[in-house]
Amino acid sequence: MTTLSQNMLLAVPLAPLVGAIAAGFFGKQIGRAGAHTVTILGVLIAFILSAMTLSAVVNEGARFNQTIYEWMVVGGLKMEVGFLVDGLTAMMMCVVTFVSLMVHIYTIGYMSEDPGYQRFFSYISLFTFSMLMLVMSNNMLQLFFGWEAVGLVSYLLIGFWYTKPTAIFANMKAFLVNRVGDFGFILGIGLLVAHSGSLNYAEVFAKAPELAKIGFNAPLWGSEWMMLSVACICLFIGAMGKSAQFPLHVWLPDSMEGPTPISALIHAATMVTAGIFMVARMSPLFELSDTALNFVLIIGAITALFMGFLGIIQNDIKRVVAYSTLSQLGYMTVALGASAYSVAVFHLMTHAFFKALLFLGAGSVIIGMHHDQDIRNMGGLRKYMPITWLTSLLGSLALIGTPLFAGFYSKDSIIEAVHASHLPAAPYAYAAVIIGVFVTAFYSFRMYFLVFHGKENFRHKPFPGEHDHHDDHGHHEPHVPHESPWVVTAPLILLAIPSVVIGYLTIGPMLFGDFFKDAIFVNHEVHHAMEELAHEFHGAAAMAMHGLSTLPFWLALGGVVTAYVFYMVAPSIPKTIGRVLSPVINVLENKYYLDWFNENVLAKTARAMGLAFWKGGDGALIDGVLINGSARMVGRLAGVVRLVQTGHLYWYALVMILGVLGLMTWQLWPFIWPQFKTLAGL
């Protein structure tokens, strides 16, 4: 019988931390093999303990909510390190540690020739520690620590190749954009702490009905704003940064400048899912604000649809998968706005497996193509890389929501949940996610067909950094792709399995059972989406059979067929469409001009304001007038006083005599002046 002890739970985040410290500080001493051994062992221990925790939570109903360490108390406000373990936490622990373990093993093959091998293992292990601290926290202080820690380590990982200018630009962009979101996040935490007097989840949630009654006058419109709505929107702005929601999504595609393993770790199971997890954890607060839920719905719908459009025109294999991540995060956010929190985290879980699979599959293709990432230079890789081909196909089928695959159960549940929602923003969100089904299928299989089928375009040019080879007779001898080593393909196989079956096995207990019974709160009297889904659910097999006749299935099939026709049968069609719709393509290629707006309007305006405050405020007023001006005034006064400091005794005697005469005159003047006026006849 497994019990949740404090020591057991402490070991979960500390095991990866020990590995990170060992590889980071003693990497040269233990060597490459030592670095990957100690970090993989740490993550493996964390995964085994997480699996034991999940087993205890599911089979025994075990729960844990205790303070581990009290840091300090300020005015009655306790700042603590503590763990909260329930169904939501246990699921996240397993997802984070399993995907991280696969990425660690994969990294052995992918980064084998990189000089920063030990440093990379240290970073990804530290990333795992940070995410575990975030999901296991029972208070908002520890949540914020994990929140900022994953942001910091992602900065280090995106800019891992620090001699590459684009990587340095990308990690700084990610860091700055997330600071915008985190500013809103800490404002939301501050509002909740100020009105509840506690950082602890349970204590804040217990006061939620009271917090929902607090209002204040708006500074601009004069109407009353509800404090809880403002706090929830501020919290969600933090999630918009971390989980890359429009318009704070701009950092995520550029994060592809980091090595492929970290792309999988950031985009699949860790940093970008932190915002989704946080909103689900805060469901007792969000349920009391329809304003916040509508805001969440609108932002999620925009992200789900319009980021999918951008995936259509990408030619970098990693960027196609990156925009897919953005779109799928939009789907999760839509589910949160529809009060289907369990569906959102269910999609988070299934997506973690198949998106990690797709990223690592893309990395395997990149290895086989000698680090050429342009899908236009690929084609026909199926016969050269059979394992990568099959696992990538399974991941793509899961992504587009093929019945019986993991993505089908979570994605279709999101669509049905938003369709059942009665919030004002729900119809728009439903239209966005429905159109997004076709878009997702189209760009996913556009990439699949261009990479694994069709003409072998790599035979017509050498791989990057290589020269054409010729045989003894002077004939061109192109290099051909090759299957990746087992340390790369083994994680692909292990990720492909849950990408196919995990949805079928878990949809019942996670969405319609009591798996999240004490972790997620839904006000069913107001928000009916989950009740309607439960009424229509008759088992995983029946859902898959019914899915074959639904609109999402036919839209997905239409996307696949369209991609096949466009890129395998008649490639002239997309070229013609590109010419006809060149203004639209131009907008998409410029990513809706958001980067241009941020760099040329926001950044330059902020820079101009900073320059004005620096030159005008700090330089001219503070330094020039208040500090240097007062110093100059004292200097001039001292120069005048210095004139009377001659050092001659007769001069000081004369001054003393004149001073005495002056004092006497001042004292006697009231008596002298009347006499003087009389004598003068005035």
Side-chain angles (χ1 to χ4, degrees):
M1 181 176 179
T2 305
T3 57
L4 300 180
S5 67
Q6 177 176 307
N7 292 336
M8 172 185 168
L9 294 175
L10 264 174
V12 175
L14 291 183
L17 178 62
V18 170
I21 293 171
F25 288 102
F26 307 104
K28 289 184 179 180
Q29 289 81 357
I30 63 179
R32 290 183 167 228
H36 71 235
T37 299
V38 70
T39 51
I40 289 174
L41 181 61
V43 176
L44 177 62
I45 291 171
F47 171 64
I48 293 171
L49 294 176
S50 297
M52 294 169 62
T53 301
L54 180 62
S55 175
V57 168
V58 173
N59 298 321
E60 303 166 18
R63 295 293 185 270
F64 186 95
N65 185 10
Q66 292 182 23
T67 297
I68 306 299
Y69 172 71
E70 188 175 281
W71 179 31
M72 64 179 176
V73 179
V74 180
L77 184 66
K78 294 181 179 180
M79 300 186 180
E80 304 167 328
V81 175
F83 294 148
L84 167 62
V85 177
D86 50 24
L88 179 59
T89 303
M91 182 272 292
M92 288 296 297
M93 289 166 62
C94 285
V95 169
V96 169
T97 53
F98 178 74
V99 174
S100 179
L101 180 61
M102 295 300 101
V103 170
H104 275 71
I105 296 171
Y106 178 94
T107 300
I108 298 173
Y110 193 87
M111 303 291 287
S112 59
E113 299 177 1
D114 198 285
Y117 190 83
Q118 293 96 316
R119 179 165 58 95
F120 190 82
F121 271 99
S122 175
Y123 286 172
I124 58 176
S125 199
L126 185 62
F127 201 107
T128 307
F129 158 76
S130 303
M131 191 65 189
L132 287 169
M133 288 296 288
L134 188 157
V135 301
M136 294 175 69
S137 62
N138 73 343
N139 63 85
M140 289 182 282
L141 178 67
Q142 187 176 328
L143 172 72
F144 191 71
F145 163 77
W147 194 269
E148 293 302 310
V150 293
L152 171 62
V153 185
S154 70
Y155 168 82
L156 298 173
L157 283 162
I158 295 168
F160 179 78
W161 289 319
Y162 53 83
T163 58
K164 187 179 177 183
T166 52
I168 298 304
F169 178 82
N171 74 345
M172 183 59 71
K173 184 177 182 179
F175 196 77
L176 292 177
V177 171
N178 272 277
R179 298 290 68 73
V180 175
D182 293 353
F183 179 67
F185 187 56
I186 200 167
L187 284 178
I189 291 175
L191 277 171
L192 293 175
V193 172
H195 289 90
S196 68
S198 177
L199 286 160
N200 187 275
Y201 292 156
E203 294 176 6
V204 174
F205 296 162
K207 296 182 179 180
E210 300 173 25
L211 299 176
K213 299 176 183 178
I214 300 173
F216 54 87
N217 290 328
L220 297 178
W221 291 276
S223 60
E224 188 178 56
W225 286 3
M226 302 311 294
M227 187 282 298
L228 196 60
S229 294
V230 176
C232 287
I233 290 173
C234 286
L235 290 174
F236 181 68
I237 289 172
M240 287 166 62
K242 274 292 179 291
S243 292
Q245 296 297 292
F246 177 88
L248 300 183
H249 67 279
V250 292
W251 66 270
L252 190 137
D254 290 341
S255 70
M256 295 297 97
E257 294 296 334
T260 298
I262 194 51
S263 300
L265 196 57
I266 289 178
H267 290 213
T270 52
M271 181 172 168
V272 295
T273 61
I276 307 299
F277 165 81
M278 182 273 293
V279 175
R281 176 60 77 195
M282 300 291 177
S283 60
L285 305 179
F286 278 84
E287 273 302 280
L288 300 178
S289 172
D290 280 5
T291 302
L293 291 175
N294 276 290
F295 181 72
V296 172
L297 262 177
I298 293 170
I299 296 297
I302 293 172
T303 308
L305 181 59
F306 289 95
M307 296 307 106
F309 287 148
L310 294 181
I312 296 174
I313 53 96
Q314 301 301 315
N315 294 312
D316 184 313
I317 187 171
K318 286 173 62 178
R319 286 182 179 268
V320 177
V321 187
Y323 280 107
S324 166
T325 298
L326 282 169
S327 181
Q328 296 307 304
L329 287 167
Y331 273 85
M332 298 177 208
T333 303
V334 164
L336 294 172
S339 293
Y341 307 97
S342 57
V343 179
V345 294
F346 181 49
H347 192 52
L348 183 159
M349 178 192 71
T350 61
H351 174 264
F353 295 116
F354 61 74
K355 188 51 60 69
L357 171 61
L358 288 170
F359 264 116
L360 298 186
S364 180
V365 169
I366 292 168
I367 294 172
M369 291 293 297
H370 298 261
H371 296 277
D372 186 353
Q373 298 182 191
D374 194 327
I375 60 178
R376 294 170 296 185
N377 298 335
M378 301 177 189
L381 296 187
R382 173 183 175 182
K383 67 179 180 180
Y384 301 104
M385 308 180 72
I387 299 175
T388 302
W389 159 70
L390 181 58
T391 53
S392 297
L393 174 60
L394 294 175
S396 298
L397 290 171
L399 171 62
I400 69 171
T402 307
L404 288 176
F405 283 74
F408 161 75
Y409 291 102
S410 54
K411 196 172 181 180
D412 269 39
S413 296
I414 292 174
I415 295 170
E416 291 304 315
V418 71
H419 183 59
S421 174
H422 300 295
L423 290 174
Y428 165 70
Y430 179 70
V433 295
I434 277 290
I435 298 170
V437 172
F438 176 86
V439 174
T440 302
F442 180 76
Y443 68 68
S444 298
F445 274 82
R446 169 183 177 265
M447 179 182 73
Y448 169 77
F449 289 131
L450 287 176
V451 171
F452 294 106
H453 294 274
K455 185 176 169 184
E456 297 179 1
N457 294 309
F458 55 84
R459 289 190 175 275
H460 301 281
K461 59 181 69 177
F463 291 123
E466 297 184 332
H467 301 287
D468 285 326
H469 287 253
H470 295 80
D471 60 18
D472 294 336
H473 302 287
H475 296 121
H476 176 73
E477 183 186 357
H479 283 182
V480 296
H482 55 83
E483 185 60 276
S484 301
W486 73 267
V487 288
V488 172
T489 55
L492 295 181
I493 296 168
L494 292 173
L495 285 166
I497 295 169
S499 296
V500 176
V501 303
I502 195 71
Y504 183 92
L505 297 176
T506 59
I507 183 172
M510 289 188 71
L511 298 193
F512 310 110
D514 57 1
F515 188 83
F516 295 125
K517 64 177 180 180
D518 51 358
I520 289 174
F521 170 76
V522 178
N523 184 0
H524 292 291
E525 295 181 1
V526 179
H527 305 128
H528 313 286
M530 289 307 299
E531 283 191 336
E532 293 190 28
L533 259 66
H535 179 71
E536 296 173 1
F537 181 73
H538 303 290
M543 181 176 176
M545 293 300 295
H546 176 68
L548 294 171
S549 61
T550 59
L551 178 61
F553 171 76
W554 291 107
L555 286 172
L557 182 61
V560 174
V561 172
T562 305
Y564 180 78
V565 171
F566 277 19
Y567 296 99
M568 293 291 102
V569 178
S572 60
I573 296 177
K575 294 178 182 178
T576 303
I577 293 174
R579 287 194 298 270
V580 173
L581 299 179
S582 58
V584 176
I585 302 299
N586 191 47
V587 171
L588 294 178
E589 288 178 343
N590 285 280
K591 297 175 283 189
Y592 306 117
Y593 293 96
L594 283 171
D595 282 339
W596 177 89
F597 179 79
N598 291 335
E599 293 168 16
N600 293 281
V601 178
L602 293 182
K604 288 186 177 180
T605 301
R607 183 180 176 84
M609 290 176 61
L611 191 65
F613 284 125
W614 171 35
K615 295 290 188 181
D618 189 52
L621 180 62
I622 298 175
D623 285 345
V625 177
L626 298 179
I627 298 176
N628 295 334
S630 60
R632 285 193 294 269
M633 184 180 69
V634 171
R636 292 192 183 100
L637 182 62
V640 174
V641 173
R642 193 182 301 118
L643 296 175
V644 300
Q645 299 292 331
T646 64
H648 298 296
L649 185 62
Y650 63 82
W651 171 253
Y652 293 144
L654 176 62
V655 171
M656 290 174 65
I657 292 169
L658 291 175
V660 170
L661 287 175
L663 287 171
M664 291 177 63
T665 302
W666 180 58
Q667 291 292 327
L668 296 175
W669 185 252
F671 303 101
I672 294 174
W673 178 246
Q675 298 298 324
F676 177 77
K677 287 197 296 183
T678 302
L679 291 173
L682 298 174

